[in-house]
């Protein structure tokens, strides 16, 4: 997960088998789901703990990226909306690099209707620009 802006530094980092989570100096939390990650309900709760740890429980903007063959279970999709009120995700941008990920993200947005800002992008620069335009409470 290399950002285009070489002036960004990592302030905090949590690395687990399924994901790498970094708080960067631009105030955005970057989450990279690793190869072959299956996002299930158990992983959602473990990630929620990591998100709260890295943000100290404050609402912050997040960028989500996925490596190869990342998938989400139906139970995790259904559970995602219920976690929103207890998560530190103030706004989320998903970088979608292929058609499959775009379909998953669009399906999630239509079916689950996130309560907090969520948008997909094809590149990081647009995602960062959008996230910086959103006021965090």
């Amino acid at each position: 997960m290399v950002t285009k802006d070489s002036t960004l530094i990592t302030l905090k980092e949590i690395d687990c088998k399924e994901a790498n989570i970094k708080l960067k100096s631009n105030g955005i939390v970057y989450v990279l789901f690793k190869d072959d990650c299956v996002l299930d309900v158990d992983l959602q709760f473990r990630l929620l703990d990591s998100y709260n740890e890295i943000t100290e429980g404050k609402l912050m903007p997040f960028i989500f990226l996925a490596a190869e063959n990342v998938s989400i279970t139906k139970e995790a999709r259904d559970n995602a909306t219920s976690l929103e009120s207890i998560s530190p995700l103030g706004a989320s941008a998903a970088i979608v690099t292929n058609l499959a990920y775009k379909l998953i993200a669009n399906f999630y947005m239509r079916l689950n209707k996130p309560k907090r800002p969520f948008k997909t992008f094809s590149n990081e620069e647009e995602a960062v620009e959008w996230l910086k335009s959103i006021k965090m409470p």
Side-chain angles (χ1 to χ4, degrees), residues 14 44-54:
I14 298 173
Q44 280 180 317
F45 281 104
R46 288 189 287 124
L47 289 171
L48 180 61
D49 288 341
S50 294
Y51 299 162
N52 279 313
E53 180 182 335
I54 210 160

Side-chain angles (χ1 to χ4, degrees), residues 51-112:
Y51 299 162
N52 279 313
E53 180 182 335
I54 210 160
T55 64
E56 298 176 358
K58 298 178 190 127
L59 288 181
M60 297 186 84
F62 277 69
I63 289 181
F64 291 93
L65 304 107
E68 298 295 317
N69 302 314
V70 174
S71 61
I72 183 169
T73 66
K74 179 187 181 323
E75 294 79 15
R77 278 195 313 269
D78 294 344
N79 190 50
T81 307
S82 66
L83 292 179
E84 231 177 327
S85 63
I86 59 172
S87 82
L89 281 69
S92 301
I95 309 296
V96 293
T97 55
N98 63 43
L99 181 58
Y101 292 164
K102 186 174 184 72
L103 291 172
I104 291 168
N106 288 337
F107 180 76
Y108 168 76
M109 286 190 308
R110 272 197 313 274
L111 197 63
N112 297 83

